[in-house]
Amino acid sequence: MCRWAAYLGDPVFLEDVVAAPCHSLIAQSHQALEAKTATNGDGFGLAWYGERPEPGRYRDVLPAWSDCNLRSLCRQIRSGLFLAHVRASTGGATSRDNCHPFVSGRWSFMHNGQIGGFERIRRRLEESLPDALYAELHGTTDSELLFLLMLAEGLETDPHGAATRAVAHVVAAAGQAAMEPALKLTAAFADGETLYAIRYATIGTAPTLYAGELRGGSGRCLVSEPFDRDGPQWAPVPEGSFVTMTRAGMSVRPFAPAVASLALAG
């Protein structure tokens, strides 16, 4: 599965999270410590907020550790809110359109996890999208589709409710396909002002998520795994949580979409 990091606070250079720490996101791309696979080499991406309401974005299919452009951009770009992701594919080709973060208007989104049995319910989920959002579907990943489902469910005005309804929609689609829901979701998303995150699974253990302060106290981070073991005291975010982070602080509330277990025949 993937590794990601998100930052909110005073503007800092992206390299302070992505490249400089001893266990930076680039280091995690070839030596993750808390993922199913140590290597996350199926592409990478950045989304950062600056002077405009919509985020800038850079994505490519090279492994993060071998892309000199990524290091150069991270050394020059300063932002007070950004998302960074390195990909280990659980489905979907290695292509730029399948690399995170995904962007729609002022929103950006990235994900670590998967929708089990996605190919059996993909068509049903895609058909539920309004035409305008379906036109924004460029890749083939479950992550991008989940993001668009959240937008369809009212992400602009109700992030917690939209995410809850989108996940419930995925669970319902699994039920209609006579499958037990098997969704693992650790995601981060932002609107240019506020950073949100979810850690949730319908089965097994959800992928890891930690919260902590950037060294020097300039801002807060949400990460798949700590990037500086000698830095801040990283706090694990419990499973079944919805995180809201602003420049004033961070809150955690339960995330528990309704999940009905199915009694599948033979």
Side-chain angles (χ1 to χ4, degrees):
M1 291 187 177
C2 311
R3 301 284 84 182
W4 57 253
Y7 170 83
L8 176 64
D10 295 336
V12 298
F13 288 108
L14 271 59
E15 72 171 1
D16 291 350
V17 171
V18 178
C22 61
H23 193 55
S24 69
L25 196 63
I26 290 180
Q28 292 174 34
S29 70
H30 60 81
Q31 196 174 11
L33 301 178
E34 300 188 37
K36 283 187 174 181
T37 58
T39 303
N40 299 271
D42 296 323
F44 65 85
L46 305 168
W48 68 94
Y49 293 86
E51 299 301 317
R52 299 181 185 275
E54 72 276 6
R57 182 172 57 166
Y58 176 61
R59 301 182 294 174
D60 211 337
V61 297
L62 290 173
W65 67 79
S66 66
D67 190 291
C68 60
N69 293 321
L70 174 61
R71 290 183 180 273
S72 179
L73 288 172
C74 289
R75 184 164 176 78
Q76 297 297 330
I77 296 173
R78 189 195 296 267
S79 174
L81 173 55
F82 60 86
L83 280 60
H85 187 279
V86 292
R87 183 172 183 246
S89 175
T90 56
T94 301
S95 68
R96 187 174 285 114
D97 282 338
N98 284 341
C99 290
H100 310 220
F102 304 100
V103 168
S104 177
R106 65 192 177 105
W107 287 92
S108 55
F109 174 93
M110 61 186 179
H111 172 225
N112 174 29
Q114 64 185 122
I115 298 173
F118 177 60
E119 292 305 321
R120 293 177 58 184
I121 62 175
R122 175 180 168 186
R123 181 178 177 183
R124 182 177 283 109
L125 295 175
E126 287 180 351
E127 289 176 343
S128 72
L129 291 174
D131 288 345
L133 287 174
Y134 184 80
E136 295 188 27
L137 184 62
H138 300 297
T140 59
T141 65
D142 52 357
S143 303
E144 183 184 22
L145 184 50
L146 179 61
F147 174 43
L148 295 176
L149 289 171
M150 288 167 57
L151 286 165
E153 293 291 346
L155 184 61
E156 285 282 349
T157 57
D158 182 14
H160 181 272
T164 301
R165 291 187 291 272
V167 169
H169 188 41
V170 172
V171 169
Q176 292 164 9
M179 300 189 308
E180 287 283 358
L183 183 146
K184 292 181 181 290
L185 171 65
T186 298
F189 46 104
D191 63 359
E193 296 293 333
T194 304
L195 175 62
Y196 304 93
I198 300 166
R199 184 178 182 217
Y200 175 78
T202 61
I203 188 171
T205 302
T208 54
L209 177 61
Y210 294 86
E213 289 190 359
L214 190 65
R215 184 185 291 273
S218 57
R220 297 179 178 87
C221 294
L222 293 168
V223 299
S224 295
E225 60 185 72
F227 54 74
D228 188 346
R229 303 281 174 173
D230 297 325
Q233 295 297 312
W234 295 96
V237 175
E239 292 200 43
S241 293
F242 185 94
V243 180
T244 301
M245 182 180 289
T246 68
R247 286 174 171 80
M250 186 182 86
S251 64
V252 180
R253 61 191 289 194
F255 185 78
V259 175
S261 181
L262 303 176
L264 300 181

